[in-house]
Amino acid sequence: AQTVTQSQPEMSVQEAETVTLSCTYDTSENNYYLFWYKQPPSRQMILVIRQEAYKQQNATENRFSVNFQKAAKSFSLKISDSQLGDTAMYFCAFMTDNDKIIFGKGTRLHILP
Amino acid sequence: GAGVSQSPSNKVTEKGKDVELRCDPISGHTALYWYRQSLGQGLEFLIYFQGNSAPDKSGLPSDRFSAERTGGSVSTLTIQRTQQEDSAVYLCASSNFAGDGNTEAFFGQGTRLTVV
């Protein structure tokens, strides 16, 4: 069975610092998708960044980037120049085609002024 | 509509009553997912639909929970004889499996269920 593990339940960093959220997963599939979702207090889930497993290049979206290590089954999220608005719950997720999406338990991130 | 719509946004019900939660996915999305999120916790998978079929119901907590999807569109999650431990936010998502690098799941705002 596929699993997603986020080992950091909670983190705090100062505004403008860089923070890395870790995620590992377990699967026997070769082709899949990985996601980081953000859930602010409004509870609306927002896609932050996505990575296709067949792509070796790490995905980037402005201040957000990932370090995808397929062999190690690791998918960490780096937030550069963190902003107060980045305060939220962050979920790592895994999906294969035509199958359910599996989420980690989340990391609660606090950006401190 | 443009996004995933869930109704009601909030529901307070008495213990023992039945409730129905509705999810209207993005038009054309074949996959639909239900998750439960207890206060401050992660997303607990409940059930997943591909079209009108549910290949994976493994997350339904008990036989009091059921879900259906009709016309490959709207889905209803029904909880019978509600218990206080059913209190949570129920999130619905739909997905397109675009296959062009744009695959993602889009979420509704959720239904906050409170059983008193």
Side-chain angles (χ1 to χ4, degrees), chain A residues 12-110:
Chain A
S12 296
V13 295
Q14 295 293 135
E15 192 177 7
E17 288 186 348
T18 294
V19 60
T20 299
L21 281 58
S22 63
C23 173
T24 58
Y25 58 95
D26 190 21
T27 183
S28 57
E29 300 287 335
N30 190 49
N31 195 28
Y32 48 86
Y33 305 90
L34 293 162
F35 308 92
W36 278 97
Y37 278 88
K38 169 185 178 180
Q39 188 182 43
S42 67
R43 88 179 183 224
Q44 177 66 55
M45 294 280 282
I46 302 164
L47 179 69
V48 174
I49 198 165
R50 109 189 89 217
Q51 174 86 38
E52 289 84 22
Y54 66 86
K55 289 186 177 178
Q56 294 190 347
Q57 187 173 8
N58 289 324
T60 62
E61 286 288 341
N62 301 312
R63 297 183 295 108
F64 299 87
S65 62
V66 298
N67 183 3
F68 173 47
Q69 302 287 330
K70 190 172 183 179
K73 296 179 182 174
S74 171
F75 183 62
S76 61
L77 173 70
K78 185 171 84 170
I79 306 175
S80 303
D81 186 27
S82 57
Q83 301 175 358
L84 296 178
D86 296 334
T87 291
M89 195 79 165
Y90 286 81
F91 293 99
C92 179
F94 169 97
M95 181 172 78
T96 56
D97 273 340
N98 300 317
D99 203 351
K100 65 189 179 191
I101 304 171
I102 301 167
F103 286 84
K105 292 190 180 300
T107 296
R108 188 175 299 280
L109 178 64
H110 303 275

Side-chain angles (χ1 to χ4, degrees), chain B residues 7-28:
Chain B
S7 60
S9 54
N10 286 284
K11 175 73 176 179
V12 180
T13 189
E14 291 182 352
K15 179 180 171 182
K17 300 275 182 153
D18 297 352
V19 294
E20 280 191 357
L21 312 181
R22 177 187 168 107
C23 175
D24 205 336
I26 292 173
S27 177

Side-chain angles (χ1 to χ4, degrees), chain B residues 8-115:
Chain B
S9 54
N10 286 284
K11 175 73 176 179
V12 180
T13 189
E14 291 182 352
K15 179 180 171 182
K17 300 275 182 153
D18 297 352
V19 294
E20 280 191 357
L21 312 181
R22 177 187 168 107
C23 175
D24 205 336
I26 292 173
S27 177
H29 280 191
T30 57
L32 186 147
Y33 315 85
W34 283 100
Y35 294 88
R36 181 168 71 175
Q37 187 176 29
S38 300
L39 186 63
Q41 300 302 308
L43 276 69
E44 176 189 4
F45 169 76
L46 297 178
I47 188 170
Y48 150 71
F49 288 92
Q50 185 65 259
N52 291 334
S53 302
D56 194 333
K57 306 179 185 179
S58 62
L60 295 177
S62 74
D63 59 8
R64 296 187 295 105
F65 287 71
S66 63
E68 65 175 12
R69 188 179 186 195
T70 55
S73 182
V74 172
S75 177
T76 303
L77 177 68
T78 301
I79 309 173
Q80 296 178 310
R81 305 181 302 281
T82 52
Q83 304 293 314
Q84 287 185 330
E85 61 262 28
D86 300 334
S87 296
V89 173
Y90 290 81
L91 289 168
C92 175
S94 69
S95 180
N96 51 347
F97 293 124
D100 60 357
N102 289 322
T103 294
E104 71 176 273
F106 295 83
F107 281 81
Q109 284 271 23
T111 293
R112 181 180 296 281
L113 175 66
T114 304
V115 182

